[in-house]
Amino acid sequence: MNIFTEKLKEVIFSILPITIIVLILSVTLTPLEAPLIIRFLIGAFLIILGLSFFLIGVDIGVTPLGSVMGSTLAKTNKLWIVIAAGFILGFFISIAEPGLIVLANQVGLVTSGQISSISILIVVSIGMAIMLALGFARIVFNVPLYKVLTILYGLTFILALFASSEFLAISFDASGATTGVLAVPFILALAIGVSKLKKDSKASEKDSFGLVAITSVGAIMSVIIMSILSKTNEFSGNIESNTPELTTIMGPFIQIIPAILRESFFALSPLLIILLVLQKISFKLSKKAFAKMLKGFVYTFVGLLIFLVGVNAGFMDVGSVIGYSLASLDNKFYLIIMGFILGIVTILAEPAVYILTNQIEDVTSGYVKRKAVLIALSIGVGLAVALSMLRIIVPGIQLWYYLLPGYLISIVMTYFVPKLFVGIAFDAGGVATGPMTATFILAFTQGAAEAIEGASILIDGFGMIATVALTPIITLQILGFIFNLKSKKGGILKNE
Amino acid sequence: MNSSTNYIVHELLCLIVSRGLGSKVIKCAKQNGITGGTIFLGKGTIRNPILEFLDLAEARKEIVLMVAEQTIAYAGLEALNKKFNFNKPNHGIAFSTSVLNIFGAKNLTSNDTKESRGVENPMYNIIFVIVDRGNAESVVEAAKKAGSRGATIVNARGSGIHETSKLFAMEIEPEKEIVLIISENHLTESISSSIRDELQIDEPGNGIIFIQDVNKTYGLY
């Protein structure tokens, strides 16, 4: 079992569920046309291939880079260097994030240019930069994560009082958009690198997680602040949903390649620049280690390219067609149930989930098993998608009906669950909102919103990602609770 | 401590298997009378020029340590071999070495440290201390007090007879730390007693210590 076959096997098992569910749907509730199904299957094949390459690349390129970077920073032992580096890293990772660029363009569109996309990009990147620096400072100063999160979310909610409800949805979605498929593994590895050098093993384990969470709050806050300052409370524009054109089978795949190429290259470029510059200045890795990292970057790039082409050209249209047909059925119950099931199977195919579960296993030496985390995560995302469907069906439900109690519960729970799980849970929120959710589930949601009277694609489309980012925080903390109960020492069963 | 003439011999089983199989190994071992085990993570290599060029020649491994009385250990090893097919290539490896002394496992009574039965009397012993996560530092402190020169800490997970809960049909194996100390013969006794006192190893559920002979060392001074 070498690393490639091992990864391939893992990936196949994670893509199979969603493929099977869609195929079952296509012959039962939502008949799909043959070209669409063939495209979906080609997409699934590309995703399997791309994800395998991508994960290996992250394993030998991105993660080691983050770890080396983190420990190099911690070894400098100068606080200002750590903070400054956190700021610079945060800014550059975020500004190159494809998900954020898409979000910025959407915001520009719906506010008819009152908030330009470039200003969103810069402000959110600054927000993330400040928070990454703060997250580093937290690890260095040993401030418990739950206290930091309480303060940050407290501030966010005070700010939220002044924002319009449409903008709330966008700003909470921003947290999902900014923690992209490359930023997450890099930030996770950074945190582990910085905290590895702590002498106290328990503290170092606790501090290995939570940095992704702190960084994503930065994105939420900066969008809210922008909307308050620019006094935009009205949505004027509208987004037209993309109706699938059934042209040729391979056409969409070919068409999309140039855009995806650019996207993948942009996403990877800041990390590559960091590697090249720091290798010259401070890392001084051996030739072999350096070459290995570079190879890792090549794998990451190729994998990301293939994966994104598969998702965008193969899965997206199927998602919106399924959403539309399910929502058109008379019995709306199907939509909620299918939303739940699709949420469960989609999250398994999310790249960053793999990286997170692997890191958790490595940091805890396998005490917190991947399967346990996956189950909790799947249930969380399934619930989130089901709740989003409910919001589409029942027009009266506002997004904040979910977010306010949800985050309150999450924050209160942090005071009671084992501290290791606090970091894991809040990081998982950022991990759950990757490319798979942002394309397939988003298309599904928008398709459903299109079919239902009185639902707006714009308002209901935004907010789904925010819900997906929230629910895993609760389910994973519950998991932590269970783990804590089950790890208590029992007595000896039989006395001799 | 029963100083009977027919003393009990313990064996340390060490198995290196693919990532994810460690828990299954312990489960199978427990069915065969071995009381518990400790697992830590490692990386192994694969010899294959093509994979090496592509930098894919790495496999994630788990290393499992278990101590048991000799006859049980051998029977357990036999059963494990049947189940995991170590005799086939790429199915992992398993080996056993003898243990000099063990503390902290109630059902494994040990004799006082005896002179080794080898031909030459080795100068050094290796002391393995397995404790709950977070206690390794105090083990190192206690060892230093008794004259040890240093120690190495490995993160691990494990389950003894005290930890038997399940979640979604998965065993829960709480986190542990393994402390490795190489000590000169005449210090072994005092180092292990110091750790035993400090961490109350003889109380159930506080960890175990076992000691092995070391035949050759380099780099110690």
Side-chain angles (χ1 to χ4, degrees):
Chain A
M1 282 282 276
N2 69 51
I3 195 170
F4 189 74
T5 47
E6 196 181 317
K7 279 275 183 290
L8 197 63
K9 213 173 89 177
E10 269 176 14
V11 169
I12 288 173
F13 276 109
S14 61
I15 308 291
L16 267 186
I18 186 168
T19 316
I20 292 167
I21 294 284
V22 169
L23 288 180
I24 291 175
L25 275 177
S26 71
V27 291
T28 52
L29 289 172
T30 59
L32 299 174
E33 296 179 31
L36 209 54
I37 294 183
I38 295 170
R39 253 171 56 197
F40 173 79
L41 290 175
I42 295 173
F45 173 75
L46 289 178
I47 289 175
I48 289 173
L49 199 68
L51 200 49
S52 308
F53 273 116
F54 174 79
L55 290 175
I56 292 169
V58 167
D59 262 358
I60 63 180
V62 178
T63 301
L65 175 68
S67 279
V68 174
M69 178 92 217
S71 41
T72 311
L73 282 178
K75 275 184 202 145
T76 58
N77 227 343
K78 291 193 183 67
L79 187 62
W80 69 268
I81 289 187
V82 174
I83 304 250
F87 190 87
I88 295 166
L89 286 177
F91 188 82
F92 279 108
I93 295 170
S94 142
I95 203 131
E97 182 59 56
L100 183 61
I101 296 169
V102 173
L103 182 97
N105 289 337
Q106 283 186 331
V107 174
L109 207 68
V110 299
T111 57
S112 352
Q114 271 184 309
I115 298 182
S116 66
S117 58
I118 195 81
S119 64
I120 278 265
L121 257 183
I122 290 178
V123 170
V124 171
S125 298
I126 290 175
M128 302 248 307
I130 292 172
M131 286 301 165
L132 193 65
L134 185 86
F136 275 166
R138 171 194 87 80
I139 298 177
V140 174
F141 285 122
N142 267 335
V143 183
L145 180 69
Y146 66 97
K147 286 184 182 163
V148 175
L149 288 173
T150 309
I151 293 168
L152 288 178
Y153 277 107
L155 282 174
T156 308
F157 274 105
I158 292 168
L159 285 172
L161 295 176
F162 302 100
S164 72
S165 65
E166 286 93 344
F167 257 99
L168 268 191
I170 292 193
S171 54
F172 276 92
D173 275 2
S175 76
T178 46
T179 47
V181 70
L182 275 172
V184 167
F186 185 70
I187 295 176
L188 275 174
L190 268 179
I192 290 172
V194 172
S195 44
K196 239 199 321 227
L197 296 170
K198 284 199 172 175
K199 198 169 178 207
D200 174 353
S201 58
K202 276 213 155 143
S204 108
E205 184 177 61
K206 279 200 301 246
D207 288 340
S208 299
F209 300 100
L211 196 56
V212 176
I214 292 180
T215 323
S216 29
V217 183
I220 302 177
M221 280 182 163
S222 41
V223 178
I224 297 184
I225 290 173
M226 277 206 64
S227 84
I228 294 172
L229 291 183
S230 65
K231 304 215 172 29
T232 342
N233 279 333
E234 290 302 307
F235 276 161
S236 38
N238 204 339
I239 296 179
E240 59 265 18
S241 76
N242 47 343
T243 39
E245 292 169 42
L246 293 176
T247 42
T248 53
I249 288 177
M250 289 314 288
F253 288 101
I254 310 284
Q255 265 171 14
I256 206 165
I257 287 177
I260 301 275
L261 238 156
R262 220 177 21 244
E263 202 173 286
S264 314
F265 180 75
F266 263 111
L268 205 59
S269 55
L271 298 184
L272 195 60
I273 292 167
I274 290 168
L275 173 63
L276 296 176
V277 170
L278 287 175
Q279 169 67 5
K280 272 268 180 291
I281 301 173
S282 75
F283 289 173
K284 303 275 190 287
L285 300 164
S286 68
K287 240 197 174 96
K288 196 166 159 35
F290 182 64
K292 192 170 176 176
M293 257 189 214
L294 282 180
K295 275 181 206 167
F297 274 79
V298 174
Y299 288 133
T300 310
F301 178 72
V302 172
L304 193 60
L305 187 71
I306 299 173
F307 173 84
L308 289 176
V309 168
V311 175
N312 285 300
F315 272 41
M316 211 148 156
D317 294 345
V318 174
S320 68
V321 170
I322 289 179
Y324 190 89
S325 339
L326 278 175
S328 312
L329 295 172
D330 289 338
N331 190 344
K332 296 290 181 262
F333 188 66
Y334 282 126
L335 184 64
I336 296 177
I337 286 291
M338 282 322 298
F340 182 71
I341 294 172
L342 282 174
I344 286 181
V345 290
T346 309
I347 194 68
L348 297 176
E350 194 65 79
V353 166
Y354 262 80
I355 292 150
L356 178 76
T357 49
N358 255 343
Q359 298 269 45
I360 294 173
E361 276 200 344
D362 280 344
V363 169
T364 64
S365 324
Y367 156 62
V368 183
K369 290 196 173 51
R370 159 198 304 255
K371 224 196 294 177
V373 176
L374 278 182
I375 290 171
L377 201 58
S378 296
I379 294 172
V381 175
L383 280 174
V385 181
L387 285 171
S388 301
M389 293 305 122
L390 190 68
R391 232 186 78 202
I392 291 177
I393 297 166
V394 185
I397 303 180
Q398 299 276 339
L399 181 65
W400 65 267
Y401 291 0
Y402 291 162
L403 295 189
L404 185 64
Y407 276 108
L408 272 179
I409 293 169
S410 311
I411 293 290
V412 169
M413 280 176 92
T414 60
Y415 287 78
F416 302 101
V417 298
K419 296 297 170 262
L420 162 70
F421 282 88
V422 172
I424 290 178
F426 275 85
D427 275 359
V431 166
T433 51
M436 206 71 197
T437 317
T439 49
F440 184 73
I441 297 286
L442 194 62
F444 173 77
T445 313
Q446 289 177 338
E450 209 176 339
I452 289 189
E453 287 292 307
S456 124
I457 292 187
L458 182 65
I459 293 174
D460 294 312
F462 285 130
M464 182 280 297
I465 294 183
T467 321
V468 169
L470 165 68
T471 45
I473 302 180
I474 298 176
T475 50
L476 276 163
Q477 290 199 77
I478 293 172
L479 180 78
F481 221 72
I482 298 171
F483 254 81
N484 203 26
L485 291 177
K486 298 238 173 189
S487 303
K488 296 254 191 302
K489 298 237 187 240
I492 297 178
L493 295 175
K494 48 178 197 291
N495 270 330
E496 290 181 26
Chain B
M1 297 291 149
N2 52 343
S3 48
S4 54
T5 42
N6 53 342
Y7 52 65
I8 305 166
V9 187
H10 291 106
E11 287 273 319
L12 167 69
L13 299 182
C14 179
L15 295 92
I16 301 172
V17 291
S18 291
R19 191 73 60 100
L21 286 179
S23 303
K24 290 180 181 139
V25 167
I26 288 195
K27 196 174 167 185
C28 174
K30 279 185 170 176
Q31 288 160 351
N32 286 288
I34 296 170
T35 46
T38 309
I39 302 170
F40 56 102
L41 306 179
K43 279 184 187 152
T45 51
I46 301 163
R47 288 190 51 153
N48 176 332
I50 299 169
L51 289 178
E52 274 163 38
F53 171 73
L54 293 171
D55 270 324
L56 297 178
E58 203 173 73
R60 289 147 51 89
K61 299 283 180 200
E62 284 185 331
I63 299 109
V64 187
L65 300 177
M66 296 181 284
V67 178
E69 190 267 313
Q70 196 173 36
T71 45
I72 294 177
Y74 286 165
L77 206 50
E78 207 48 53
L80 285 165
N81 189 30
K82 250 200 205 85
K83 192 173 158 82
F84 293 94
N85 290 323
F86 295 121
N87 42 10
K88 287 188 187 161
N90 304 332
H91 278 246
I93 54 175
F95 56 89
S96 80
T97 50
S98 51
V99 171
L100 210 58
N101 207 337
I102 179 157
F103 309 105
K106 254 238 154 65
N107 47 356
L108 299 179
T109 46
S110 89
N111 340 67
D112 293 328
T113 311
K114 51 204 173 288
E115 289 297 294
S116 92
R117 305 172 308 282
V119 181
E120 50 176 327
N121 197 4
M123 296 256 313
Y124 289 96
N125 294 128
I126 179 160
I127 307 174
F128 284 76
V129 188
I130 301 177
V131 288
D132 282 340
R133 171 68 59 98
N135 292 343
E137 286 298 328
S138 13
V139 171
V140 177
E141 288 302 313
K144 276 209 176 113
K145 250 190 259 169
S148 136
R149 287 265 179 73
T152 306
I153 300 172
V154 182
N155 288 343
R157 71 178 194 269
S159 67
I161 27 184
H162 302 278
E163 291 115 351
T164 48
S165 40
K166 277 193 163 65
L167 175 67
F168 311 129
M170 279 177 275
E171 315 278 328
I172 291 200
E173 292 146 339
E175 293 172 279
K176 307 282 178 199
E177 281 170 328
I178 305 173
V179 185
L180 303 174
I181 303 164
I182 295 185
S183 69
E184 285 175 52
N185 257 356
H186 58 94
L187 288 175
T188 305
E189 190 66 39
S190 57
I191 291 176
S192 59
S193 331
S194 167
I195 298 170
R196 278 164 73 189
D197 295 343
E198 197 74 31
L199 287 120
Q200 300 171 330
I201 294 288
D202 297 322
E203 297 291 312
N206 283 352
I208 64 169
I209 299 179
F210 57 89
I211 301 163
Q212 293 187 289
D213 276 338
V214 172
N215 294 331
K216 280 200 168 27
T217 60
Y218 298 95
L220 297 174
Y221 48 88

